Amino acid sequence: MLILYISFCYRDQIVEMFDHAYGSYMKYAYPADELMPLSCRGRVRGLEPNRGDIDDSLGKFSLTLVDTLDTLVVLNKLDEFEDAVRRTLRDVRLDNDVVVSVFETNIRVLGGLLGAHVMADMLRQRGERMQWYRDELLHMAKELGHRLLPAFNTTSGLPYPRVNLRYGVLNPLSRTGTESDTCTACAGTMILEFAALSRLSGEAVFEEHARKALDVLWEKRQRGSDLVGTVINIHNGDWVRRDSGVGAGIDSYYEYLMKAYILLGDNVYLERFNTHYSAIMKYISQPPLLLNVHMHNPTVSVRSWMDSLLAFFPGLQVLRGDLKPAIETHEMLYQVTKQHKFLPEAFTTEFRVHWGQHPLRPEFAESTYYLYKATGDPYYLRVGQSIVEKLNAHARVPCGFAAVQDVRTGTHEDRMDSFFLAEMFKYLYLLFSEKNQLHFDIDDYIFTTEAHLLPVSLSTSQPPCRGNNTEDLFTYSCPSTQTLFPNNPSFAKTIRDSYKYLTGVGRGIGCNLGCDLAFYCLYCLAGQHYPVSLMLLCNSFHQCLSFNEAHEGVYRVKLVAEVTQTPEEEVVPLIVQLISPPYLGRMVLTAGPAKFGMDLIKQEHGTSPYTACGPIENAQELSGHIALALRGDCMFAAKARRLQEAGAIGVIFIDHREGSNSAETPLFQMVGDGGSTADITIPLVFLFSQEGMNIKFRLAEEGELEEGEARGPTLKFLLEKGEVVLEEEEYRQQGDSCLTPGGDHVLCSYGQTAASPPSHSPNDPNTDPGSQDSRVPQPPPTDHKHVAVPRESPHCLAARSGLD
């Protein structure tokens, strides 16, 4: 009942937000293509400063109105829909002397007209509304289709990227036709709208041209990897840009192959999609990341950042039936939104901002909708709530919603793209709606890439889904999420829990009270050839204390290990176990190793300067010690070389972002600077700010080992809020009292409340992303070996980000 109530409240809030955005467009901008929400006026192409390619979507055809038509029906605004259709028929012209993007005009305007026609025809057939409607929107769609067809007059069949609505291409008055290149998505995202237009109008020419373009892209794929590039020559079919991913430039090509099978029932599209999908999962998908690789050498990553358009991909994986990687990537994206409020237009594999813009893109909301409908997990409702709240808090302005110019500063841009109304509100409303609350069965429709609704009944060749024989349950499945997946709210949670290492949470605490406490631990150090295992100090079990008691305390972690050389050239994640009562080894924290360095550490010492990006001023003090260094300003490898030359025997890097912690940020592996790192032989690990600033450690005294434990030098790592040191034997004897360093017994408590959220302090926008420390994700701990730790004279050193 609570979920239903929350859904009802948020659904009403989404409708109010839509009314604010749509009402502002109609009041201040219509019949212009877009609303300028900061200026409270319409954007008319030619009257405002040119924005380059962004303006190619503006054709003086009331773009936002047309793009929003079927959203009005989804949101049950039938009076507004009928009025908007009348306005479209009366005011919108498609023969304007303006050069537009073939891709954008197809998905936004042609798709908008077709989606609105489908909704109007549905209402008319029910006898409820639109009895006056005589397929006028379909006639407009056919006119627009014919105005786009000249773009396909190339020797290859790939369309020109731009067309003049009045004069076509190559006409002396067209001002287009000189282009030689187009993006893969631009050429491969026509089949849904063009095929629907053919099947609704009876003119096969549209579907034939769209299919030919897809045939060319398929033939031009790299046969060794089955990947495609980003930009292709429209005349000879040669690849101009050979980087391959699932984001900008390629994204909807893959989407339309899958959805063309669902809409049209042609197995050829599904077979092509499955071939590409296998390649994507082999080379591009490195859960939770989706990287860009070279199509001819797919083991080589071509850039260290991802763009926000790839956020659609988890939703496509839901349609494919591959939930596990969808959940993983979606969770990564959610963590980025929590760090930056919105998805930046591009962000690094470290989840730092690469390009700070956020034009209110809907792809993350789209995937959230698909995952909730597939799993029934209320977690995704909470994700949807966060989207709604952030839009209201950070994008809402008096005249609509404004794009975010830079997520680091929160500044706005005078821009509200049509897709915000066409997609964002549609997906959010559907996320918080049950099927019986809609005017139609949503499973009877497929979404275009612009979220326009096309009926799957357009298929004339698809056999009944249950009649398909295949070894893959999901390969030939119906698009209904109720058919594909069990509506089991715990399903997605189970997958997320099994991948907690991706966000640094580690394994479950096992506390019956459901404690969500923040604990800090020094990650053990080892090089590339030395996997690590940790042993328990004791095996008795004590119950978890209450939250009121868990406000201050000390935890001792001891590393007991021995060195074993392994022949494999692989990097294995490191782990540390919290062994003091009441956790006794069940709290496992995953540590990110460096990709270079071998030997283990002995001690630590702070560097000067703290970032180690200049000459080391305290080399004599560092010699023979473990160094602490602050992250930032230069590459990890450069820091390591300086500290190694200064005589340090190991380095612990501390994150410079105040408040960062392993519970909020995915684990990563430090990598080199692009050159050889064979000269770096000292061990290195990385700690987030909260963990790194709450650590003290010392060497274990002789005689402290439990009976049966490995003999030899060991390290003790102490986590403390105060100066109270917990000794386990005394804990077992005294119950709720602990020994102070002076020998007095005091009340013990263990841990603290949940870690504070990560800092939202922006990164320096003037910093070159290429100069930042880099990282890649790591798999969960597996097959750990014992590692011996050389002993130094016992003493205790403070470790606080190298600042003490």
Side-chain angles (χ1 to χ4, degrees):
M1 293 299 295
L2 179 60
I3 292 177
L4 292 176
Y5 176 74
I6 293 174
S7 297
F8 175 79
C9 292
Y10 274 89
R11 191 166 61 251
D12 283 354
Q13 186 174 359
I14 291 162
V15 172
E16 185 278 329
M17 293 166 65
F18 173 84
D19 288 341
H20 178 62
Y22 180 71
S24 295
Y25 166 75
M26 296 303 296
K27 180 178 180 180
Y28 300 110
Y30 182 79
D33 283 314
E34 287 180 354
L35 168 69
M36 298 172 65
L38 301 182
S39 304
C40 295
R41 68 174 189 268
R43 182 182 299 279
V44 179
R45 190 169 176 179
L47 299 183
E48 302 293 336
N50 186 280
R51 300 178 299 169
D53 292 347
I54 298 177
D55 285 340
D56 285 349
S57 60
L58 309 180
K60 299 181 179 179
F61 37 35
S62 300
L63 172 65
T64 298
L65 176 69
V66 175
D67 212 5
T68 308
L69 289 172
D70 58 358
T71 305
L72 292 165
V73 179
V74 173
L75 271 61
N76 195 28
K77 293 187 167 295
L78 302 185
D79 290 337
E80 291 86 344
F81 173 70
E82 192 160 355
D83 175 69
V85 170
R86 292 184 184 275
R87 287 176 181 270
T88 301
L89 301 181
R90 182 189 68 204
D91 300 337
V92 174
R93 293 181 58 87
L94 301 171
D95 61 348
N96 302 310
D97 180 12
V98 60
V99 176
V100 296
S101 162
V102 174
F103 166 76
E104 297 288 356
T105 305
N106 174 64
I107 66 172
R108 299 202 206 188
V109 185
L110 182 58
L113 292 171
L114 291 172
H117 164 70
V118 168
M119 293 291 101
D121 186 56
M122 178 265 294
L123 293 173
R124 179 180 61 184
Q125 291 186 27
R126 290 183 178 179
E128 301 173 0
R129 291 174 176 269
M130 306 295 294
Q131 297 304 301
W132 55 268
Y133 180 67
R134 296 294 181 269
D135 297 339
E136 291 90 345
L137 292 173
L138 178 59
H139 298 320
M140 290 182 68
K142 187 165 63 173
E143 176 192 347
L144 180 59
H146 281 291
R147 294 186 180 279
L148 295 178
L149 278 180
F152 289 84
N153 291 331
T154 61
T155 55
S156 68
L158 298 172
Y160 282 96
R162 297 176 182 84
V163 66
N164 186 298
L165 290 176
R166 180 176 296 175
Y167 298 111
V169 179
L170 299 178
N171 185 297
L173 300 176
S174 67
R175 305 187 304 281
T176 187
T178 59
E179 302 92 345
S180 61
D181 306 329
T182 193
C183 71
T184 302
C186 300
T189 311
M190 307 291 293
I191 188 63
L192 292 188
E193 292 84 1
F194 268 44
L197 180 58
S198 284
R199 300 195 181 196
L200 289 170
S201 68
E203 296 187 21
V205 62
F206 305 109
E207 184 171 353
E208 290 171 355
H209 279 81
R211 176 155 190 158
K212 183 178 180 181
L214 284 179
D215 290 343
V216 174
L217 293 175
W218 172 252
E219 290 300 319
K220 294 297 181 179
R221 76 189 187 283
Q222 211 290 318
R223 300 303 177 95
S225 66
D226 285 320
L227 296 174
V228 293
T230 305
V231 177
I232 192 170
N233 185 289
I234 60 176
H235 301 298
N236 58 29
D238 290 341
W239 290 106
V240 178
R241 282 185 51 188
R242 294 173 173 83
D243 51 313
S244 186
V246 297
I250 303 179
D251 49 1
S252 49
Y253 163 66
Y254 294 133
E255 177 186 5
Y256 269 37
L257 284 177
M258 177 66 181
K259 291 182 176 180
Y261 162 71
I262 297 173
L263 181 69
L264 307 175
D266 191 333
N267 289 349
V268 169
Y269 297 121
L270 182 62
E271 292 165 2
R272 292 179 182 179
F273 172 80
N274 283 335
T275 299
H276 284 313
Y277 187 75
S278 295
I280 291 168
M281 298 310 292
K282 182 177 182 180
Y283 300 116
I284 293 172
S285 176
Q286 297 187 22
L289 306 180
L290 291 166
L291 304 179
N292 274 58
V293 301
H294 196 290
M295 63 181 290
H296 293 93
N297 188 8
T299 60
V300 176
S301 179
V302 297
R303 67 190 191 197
S304 61
W305 50 271
M306 298 171 281
D307 63 79
S308 63
L309 286 172
L310 62 77
F312 89 99
F313 198 68
L316 184 61
Q317 289 179 305
V318 170
L319 283 183
R320 172 62 175 78
D322 201 0
L323 273 185
K324 185 177 180 181
I327 292 168
E328 293 167 348
T329 298
H330 179 274
E331 182 63 20
M332 176 271 291
L333 295 169
Y334 184 40
Q335 296 299 327
V336 175
T337 65
K338 290 201 292 186
Q339 183 175 354
H340 300 297
K341 298 183 179 66
F342 300 102
L343 275 183
E345 194 73 333
F347 52 94
T348 70
T349 52
E350 293 185 308
F351 312 118
R352 294 182 180 180
V353 174
H354 184 71
W355 297 328
Q357 303 95 326
H358 175 71
L360 307 180
R361 293 200 185 276
E363 285 77 15
F364 179 63
E366 174 185 358
S367 288
T368 303
Y369 159 72
Y370 275 108
L371 277 168
Y372 177 63
K373 295 305 178 181
T375 66
D377 188 344
Y379 176 85
Y380 296 109
L381 290 180
R382 295 193 292 272
V383 176
Q385 292 169 16
S386 72
I387 297 173
V388 170
E389 291 164 0
K390 287 171 182 174
L391 285 173
N392 273 322
H394 305 292
R396 186 166 182 146
V397 294
C399 294
F401 289 81
V404 178
Q405 191 172 50
D406 195 320
V407 297
R408 294 165 290 195
T409 63
T411 53
H412 287 139
E413 186 177 355
D414 203 2
R415 172 182 179 186
M416 190 180 82
D417 288 83
S418 67
F419 53 67
F420 181 60
L421 288 164
E423 300 184 67
M424 180 69 81
F425 291 110
K426 193 175 293 175
Y427 285 124
L428 288 176
Y429 185 86
L430 291 171
L431 173 64
F432 290 101
S433 301
E434 299 299 324
K435 290 175 62 176
N436 58 11
Q437 295 169 328
L438 303 176
H439 273 281
F440 51 89
D441 188 346
I442 195 68
D443 287 338
D444 290 338
Y445 299 85
I446 189 71
F447 288 109
T448 69
T449 196
E450 191 76 4
H452 295 304
L453 295 164
L454 298 177
V456 294
S457 59
L458 289 177
S459 169
T460 59
S461 59
Q462 182 178 16
C465 290
R466 294 182 181 179
N468 289 321
N469 296 319
T470 176
E471 295 179 359
D472 186 342
L473 172 63
F474 298 108
T475 297
Y476 291 89
S477 296
C478 297
S480 170
T481 56
Q482 296 299 320
T483 303
L484 281 174
F485 311 110
N487 197 335
N488 181 358
S490 65
F491 182 71
K493 182 179 185 301
T494 301
I495 296 177
R496 286 196 304 270
D497 286 349
S498 66
Y499 280 86
K500 283 184 177 179
Y501 75 93
L502 293 172
T503 54
V505 175
R507 298 175 186 168
I509 296 174
C511 173
N512 292 331
L513 297 179
C515 299
D516 185 17
L517 308 180
F519 299 100
Y520 305 102
C521 189
L522 178 64
Y523 296 120
C524 49
L525 304 182
Q528 189 168 357
H529 305 294
Y530 299 93
V532 170
S533 179
L534 299 177
M535 299 176 61
L536 297 180
L537 184 65
C538 56
N539 56 13
S540 61
F541 177 77
H542 291 76
Q543 292 183 340
C544 182
L545 298 182
S546 69
F547 282 111
N548 291 332
E549 294 171 311
H551 67 280
E552 183 179 19
V554 179
Y555 294 83
R556 186 177 64 182
V557 179
K558 185 170 66 175
L559 171 65
V560 182
E562 60 186 0
V563 175
T564 302
Q565 180 75 30
T566 58
E568 294 82 12
E569 290 290 330
E570 66 179 69
V571 177
V572 177
L574 313 181
I575 65 169
V576 169
Q577 288 177 293
L578 191 64
I579 60 176
S580 295
Y583 303 104
L584 303 175
R586 287 170 298 130
M587 169 66 92
V588 178
L589 299 161
T590 306
K595 201 171 184 178
F596 39 87
M598 296 183 183
D599 300 325
L600 295 177
I601 66 161
K602 300 174 184 177
Q603 300 171 235
E604 59 80 24
H605 206 287
T607 64
S608 179
Y610 301 132
T611 60
C613 288
I616 303 301
E617 300 170 0
N618 59 338
Q620 184 176 359
E621 196 175 21
L622 286 177
S623 181
H625 292 78
I626 301 166
L628 292 188
L630 202 62
R631 178 189 188 185
D633 294 345
C634 62
M635 302 294 288
F636 281 125
K639 301 170 188 281
R641 288 190 179 94
R642 291 190 182 92
L643 294 172
Q644 180 176 275
E645 292 171 0
I649 61 170
V651 182
I652 302 172
F653 293 110
I654 309 293
D655 195 2
H656 64 303
R657 295 179 302 127
E658 182 179 354
S660 67
N661 60 84
S662 60
E664 298 286 344
T665 309
L667 175 68
F668 66 89
Q669 177 185 346
M670 297 178 288
V671 298
D673 52 5
S676 173
T677 55
D679 59 318
I680 303 174
T681 59
I682 58 174
L684 311 105
V685 294
F686 174 85
L687 290 174
F688 293 105
S689 172
Q690 289 189 2
E691 285 87 341
M693 300 183 74
N694 287 272
I695 294 172
K696 292 189 178 182
F697 71 94
R698 63 182 176 85
L699 293 170
E701 298 285 355
E702 292 289 351
E704 289 187 339
L705 296 177
E706 297 291 331
E707 187 67 26
E709 287 187 335
R711 298 287 109 187
T714 62
L715 285 176
K716 280 187 177 180
F717 300 99
L718 304 178
L719 303 169
E720 59 187 31
K721 290 291 290 181
E723 294 300 325
V724 181
V725 178
L726 172 65
E727 298 291 347
E728 291 166 53
E729 185 62 35
E730 283 75 11
Y731 173 88
R732 289 194 291 268
Q733 294 175 359
Q734 300 295 332
D736 287 341
S737 66
C738 292
L739 288 176
T740 67
D744 298 326
H745 288 278
V746 297
L747 178 65
C748 291
S749 56
Y750 311 100
Q752 64 182 61
T753 56
S756 58
S759 170
H760 293 293
S761 300
N763 295 322
D764 183 3
N766 298 316
T767 301
D768 179 10
S771 69
Q772 303 301 312
D773 305 325
S774 56
R775 65 187 183 188
V776 293
Q778 282 294 290
T782 56
D783 191 27
H784 301 287
K785 303 292 190 298
H786 294 287
V787 182
V789 183
R791 172 171 181 158
E792 290 290 325
S793 58
H795 63 286
C796 186
L797 297 173
R800 299 183 61 81
S801 298
L803 300 178
D804 288 348

